[in-house]
Structure formats: structure tokens, C-alpha cells
Amino acid sequence: MNEATAQIALSDAMHREAEALEEVLSSLLEPASDQEPRVLDAMRYAVLGGGKRVRPFLVINTARLFDVADDFSLRVGAAVEFVHCYSLVHDDLPAMDDDDVRRGKASCHRAFDQPTAILAGDALLALAFEVLGHPLTHSDAEIRCELTTSLATAAGSRGMVGGQMLDLRSEDVTANISRIARIQQLKTGALIEFSCDAGAILGRADVRKREALRRYSRDLGLAFQIKDDLLDALGEELQVGKATKKDAAAGKATFVALLGIEGAKRRADFLCNQAIGHLEIFGAEARHLAELAEFAVGRQS
């Protein structure tokens, strides 16, 4: 398969998975008589109709390595997407990254207001764990508990929240590569690592295969973040779908700031190739995961 054909195959797969996920997300966000409609409207605004759905794609495709039915992995993918969208809503707030645009449209707090956006984010986080705890996600309560614990760790102070705190404190602070990598392993990488580990949990994977997916996810997460740094430095807002050139203006420590444009590109390419190498144990079954690593460093948004 040549590179162009592989890219088309990945694009088709991501589109197909995103459409299936959208149905699950929409059904989980259906209006109910006991819900406050404005909060639900803000939740639906933040989640539906946008995004690359990379994290759910990882859940679905790692789970398929172990012959897990999509009905299970789509629900886990929805849970991680709820957590991801909650983090974007809160990151965009004036007290955090202060962004007015997200996924090519007004940020949630701009479309509604700050209190509503905060509550919508809180509700999405809670909904994620409601979904994981439901028997429809898996019939085995031990697997549901492991998924819940793993996502809680990835989303909390030892994961995404901790990374965001370190990132906020990094402005105008001299940092080295190790510190920046640590920030991004927590802020971006933790949910990506969970997404790959979730497929292994659902599939009751052995230790060797589970570790291979963890190594893949860690390299993928860093490559993904380096590309985000490059897009912020080089991209245009309309193409990227959010404000650009903000990191340099804020004095943030990034891979681009330390390595320069070309150095950051080389580091991303190295991580991409290393991530693909970790998938050798799965053979051709992991083709889409390998292609996703290439997509992560080649994307324009």
C-alpha cells in the first residue's frame, strides 16, 4: 500500500469511527425531563459536531486488537471524549488559556457565559464516569472499575490537571526538555495513554502487549503535542481552528521555544517512528494505529 492509499484508508477509518461515535455521544446527551436545559445545551455545544476524535479512535482500534466489540469501546471512547471536551471548555476560560475560538467556532464561555461553561465542563466530567460505571459499557464490574480508576488517574492531579497546573506555572520560567516533556506527558499524554490502555483493559491483554501500547501512546502523545506547538507557531487561525501564536506571546516553555522549528520537527518525526516501532508485536492488525502516528505529525489542524 503506498502512502497516498494509506492516508485515504486512515481518513476513511477516522471518518467512520467519528460518525459512529457521534451517534453514541448524541444519545448520551439526549434531553431528559430532570435536566437543566441550559447546561445540557452547553454540553452538547461543547461536544457535538467537531473535533478529530483521536482519543476515541485509539480506544476503538486498540480494543479491536483483542477482538472487543465496538459497542463496548464506543462507550469508553465517548467517556474519554467527554473528559477531553470538559478540559477544552475549562482551558478556554479567561482564568486559564483565555481562548475565544475552539474547533472553528466560539468557545463555550463565549457562546454561553463563564458560569455556564464551568458547569457544563463539570457535568461532562461527571457524565464520563456515569458512562463507565454503566453495565452497558461492560458486563464485568471489575473491568468497569479498572476503567474508572484509570481514567480518574489520567484526568486528575497526577495526570491532565497536574499537567495544566505545571503548564500555567511555566510562563516566563526557564525550562529544559525534561520539564516540558513532563508537562506534556501529563497534560496531553495522560488521556492518550488511557485511551490505548482502555482497549487493553477491555480486551484483558497480557502484560507484554499492554506495555507495548503504553509505550506507543507515550511517544504518540509527545509527538502530538510537539505538532500542536508547531501549529501554534506556524499555523493560521482559520486552518487550525483556534487562536495561534499564543505560546510565544505568553512566554510559555514549549518544544519549539527550546528546540526551534526544525529541531521540533525532527523530534516529532523521531517519536513518530519510535511509536510505530512499538506496534510491531501486533503486526498488520495495528496498521491504523501506525498511520495515526504519521497523521499526528503531518496534520494541519
Side-chain angles (χ1 to χ4, degrees):
M1 179 178 292
N2 61 38
E3 183 176 349
T5 304
Q7 287 300 317
I8 292 172
L10 176 65
S11 176
D12 288 346
M14 292 184 75
H15 180 71
R16 183 177 62 248
E17 255 77 283
E19 282 192 331
L21 180 75
E22 194 79 6
E23 290 184 14
V24 175
L25 293 170
S26 185
S27 68
L28 292 169
L29 290 168
E30 280 293 317
S33 59
D34 58 349
Q35 280 182 306
E36 170 52 46
R38 182 168 174 81
V39 171
L40 182 62
D41 287 346
M43 293 166 68
R44 291 177 63 86
Y45 180 87
V47 172
L48 299 178
K52 292 178 283 294
R53 312 300 193 194
V54 167
R55 291 152 192 83
F57 184 86
L58 287 168
V59 177
I60 295 163
N61 282 273
T62 54
R64 284 178 182 160
L65 295 174
F66 310 104
D67 298 320
V68 175
D70 287 356
D71 287 348
F72 298 141
S73 57
L74 279 166
R75 285 181 63 87
V76 179
V80 74
E81 190 69 7
F82 286 148
V83 173
H84 176 55
C85 291
Y86 125 76
S87 75
L88 299 182
V89 170
H90 282 197
D91 282 357
D92 289 340
L93 291 166
M96 302 287 273
D97 291 344
D98 194 14
D99 280 316
D100 292 338
V101 178
R102 171 69 65 179
R103 292 174 172 172
K105 63 182 183 181
S107 302
C108 190
H109 70 276
R110 281 296 188 184
F112 292 84
D113 53 59
Q114 289 187 51
T116 301
I118 292 169
L119 292 173
D122 293 343
L124 287 171
L125 180 61
L127 180 57
F129 293 103
E130 182 182 336
V131 171
L132 288 186
H134 198 286
L136 285 176
T137 299
H138 203 281
S139 58
D140 189 330
E142 288 189 8
I143 286 181
R144 298 200 306 272
C145 285
E146 188 172 359
L147 288 167
T148 300
T149 302
S150 183
L151 182 56
T153 301
S157 60
R158 289 181 290 165
M160 183 177 64
V161 169
Q164 177 70 354
M165 185 76 259
L166 287 173
D167 193 33
L168 290 170
R169 294 180 61 198
S170 73
E171 295 181 9
D172 299 316
V173 173
T174 301
N176 56 31
I177 288 294
S178 295
R179 178 179 172 83
I180 295 173
R182 175 64 176 162
I183 291 170
Q184 304 310 340
Q185 282 170 345
L186 295 175
K187 183 180 177 182
T188 302
L191 279 191
I192 288 177
E193 184 171 343
F194 166 80
S195 299
C196 292
D197 201 34
I201 293 171
L202 286 168
R204 297 182 174 93
D206 63 44
V207 172
R208 193 165 61 107
K209 289 182 176 179
R210 191 166 177 178
E211 182 59 26
L213 287 175
R214 283 176 174 165
R215 291 176 182 272
Y216 161 80
S217 67
R218 288 166 188 163
D219 288 336
L220 174 68
L222 275 180
F224 203 92
Q225 184 57 49
I226 292 172
K227 183 62 179 184
D228 271 357
D229 292 349
L230 286 164
L231 288 173
D232 181 80
L234 301 173
E236 297 298 328
E237 181 173 330
L238 286 177
Q239 186 175 26
V240 176
K242 61 181 180 179
T244 59
K245 301 174 177 60
K246 293 194 65 176
D247 289 343
K252 276 192 176 182
T254 66
F255 286 100
V256 170
L258 261 68
L259 300 175
I261 298 296
E262 294 306 316
K265 287 179 179 177
R266 286 192 297 272
R267 180 63 64 95
D269 288 340
F270 170 81
L271 288 166
C272 168
N273 291 329
Q274 189 165 265
I276 292 171
H278 296 313
L279 297 173
E280 289 179 359
I281 188 174
F282 301 106
E285 296 298 313
R287 176 172 59 86
H288 283 323
L289 295 174
E291 291 167 0
L292 184 67
E294 296 174 344
F295 164 80
V297 298
R299 63 197 165 92
Q300 297 304 312
S301 64

